[in-house]
């Protein structure tokens, strides 16, 4: 297996599965997103047996292949069982240091954070990236809390050095502000998996993210070359 940590520098749209919202099923969503160019997939499933989780996770891993990072939400046992590329952990899941000891240094560990202090703690603890949110109000996750706003991304970005993935209420209408404020990638669950065309929606997000990044890069280069 190639070193998936190298792929972290190339992510833009980040797929998080949600079987409760999906119109065509989790495997179909992953297949469509990866074929559209998505380079990171998080399998999040709360209501299936461990046996079923392992079966589905192994299928998702096969779809991701070498093209996309495959992470399991919360369930380190499932990640180990299928040799996933890593896990994504919330603030109330297994502590980062214990997860790292179990998984080893080669696996990717992402941590959900809500503010600067949690982000700094995650980076100091050895997280590979943070998922910051909710950026906007969202109904996808009932306990997510009120949106913290896209400007909060810039504050966190100035405090840490690992990539920030923004999540929470993100749509094609508001995602430009998320990238402009420093998010490396973004998650848009309902905007993608609730659609009838997951592949096209994923492509649309990737195009918007890349165009916004390119515009920011061009603007920054212009500033550098025109400083007095």
């Amino acid at each position: 297996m190639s070193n998936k940590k190298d792929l972290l520098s190339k992510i833009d749209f980040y797929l998080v599965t949600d079987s409760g919202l999906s119109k065509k099923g989790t495997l179909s969503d992953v297949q469509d997103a990866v074929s559209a160019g998505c380079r990171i997939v998080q399998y999040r499933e709360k209501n299936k047996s461990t046996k079923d989780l392992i079966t589905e996770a192994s299928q998702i891993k096969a779809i991701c292949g070498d093209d996309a990072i495959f992470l399991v939400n919360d369930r380190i046992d499932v990640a180990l069982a299928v040799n996933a590329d890593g896990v994504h952990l919330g603030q109330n899941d297994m502590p980062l240091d214990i997860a790292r000891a179990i998984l080893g240094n080669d696996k990717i560990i992402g941590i959900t954070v809500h503010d600067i202090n949690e982000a700094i703690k995650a980076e100091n603890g050895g997280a590979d990236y943070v998922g910051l949110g909710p950026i906007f109000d969202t109904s996808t996750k009932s306990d997510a809390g009120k949106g913290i706003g896209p400007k909060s991304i810039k504050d966190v970005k100035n405090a840490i050095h690992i990539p920030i993935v923004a999540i929470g209420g993100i749509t094609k209408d508001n995602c430009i502000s998320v990238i402009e404020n420093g998010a490396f990638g973004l998650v848009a669950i309902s905007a993608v998996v609730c659609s009838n065309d997951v592949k096209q929606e994923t492509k649309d997000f990737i195009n918007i993210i890349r165009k916004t990044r390119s515009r920011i890069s061009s603007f920054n280069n212009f500033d550098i070359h025109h400083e007095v």
Side-chain angles (χ1 to χ4, degrees):
M1 185 183 72
S2 60
N3 185 0
K4 290 294 187 68
K5 286 197 176 186
D6 294 340
L7 266 185
L8 269 181
S9 64
K10 299 177 181 178
I11 65 171
D12 29 51
F13 180 76
Y14 181 137
L15 179 73
V16 175
T17 69
D18 192 319
S19 62
L21 293 175
S22 174
K23 288 192 173 181
K24 297 182 180 178
T26 293
L27 295 180
S28 174
D29 291 345
V30 173
Q31 183 73 62
D32 285 346
V34 172
S35 64
C38 174
R39 296 193 182 102
I40 184 164
V41 174
Q42 180 191 141
Y43 178 46
R44 187 166 78 184
E45 182 61 66
K46 303 291 186 183
N47 300 315
K48 293 188 177 181
S49 69
T50 299
K51 183 179 179 181
D52 287 344
L53 289 175
I54 290 170
T55 298
E56 194 164 52
S58 64
Q59 292 171 310
I60 295 172
K61 183 191 173 189
I63 294 170
C64 290
D66 290 331
D67 298 322
I69 295 165
F70 172 49
L71 306 179
V72 176
N73 176 269
D74 181 16
R75 294 291 298 270
I76 289 175
D77 56 336
V78 174
L80 285 170
V82 302
N83 193 25
D85 299 313
V87 295
H88 185 90
L89 302 173
Q91 289 293 314
N92 296 318
D93 294 332
M94 183 180 290
L96 175 54
D97 57 338
I98 298 174
R100 179 61 76 194
I102 293 170
L103 291 171
N105 291 325
D106 292 336
K107 297 296 186 183
I108 295 166
I109 301 180
I111 301 291
T112 295
V113 301
H114 308 93
D115 54 41
I116 291 174
N117 290 336
E118 288 179 354
I120 292 171
K121 184 179 178 182
E123 180 177 47
N124 290 342
D128 295 290
Y129 74 90
V130 296
L132 176 66
I135 305 302
F136 305 103
D137 293 347
T138 176
S139 58
T140 304
K141 202 163 183 287
S142 58
D143 59 348
K146 191 163 177 59
I148 57 177
K151 285 188 171 57
S152 62
I153 301 167
K154 190 172 286 185
D155 296 333
V156 173
K157 185 178 173 63
N158 289 334
I160 64 173
H161 303 94
I162 55 177
I164 299 168
V165 175
I167 186 170
I170 297 172
T171 66
K172 285 188 283 190
D173 293 328
N174 62 28
C175 69
I176 289 176
S177 66
V178 168
I179 301 301
E180 286 177 337
N181 279 284
F184 196 75
L186 60 84
V187 176
I189 301 175
S190 58
V192 172
V193 303
C194 289
S195 74
N196 289 313
D197 194 339
V198 169
K199 187 172 184 177
Q200 187 59 53
E201 291 296 317
T202 302
K203 281 183 177 179
D204 289 348
F205 271 106
I206 291 172
N207 287 335
I208 294 169
I209 294 166
R210 291 180 181 174
K211 284 180 180 176
T212 306
R213 278 185 185 164
S214 179
R215 177 169 53 79
I216 293 168
S217 178
S218 298
F219 181 78
N220 289 340
N221 287 337
F222 179 85
D223 275 359
I224 290 169
H225 292 123
H226 289 77
E227 284 180 353
V228 178

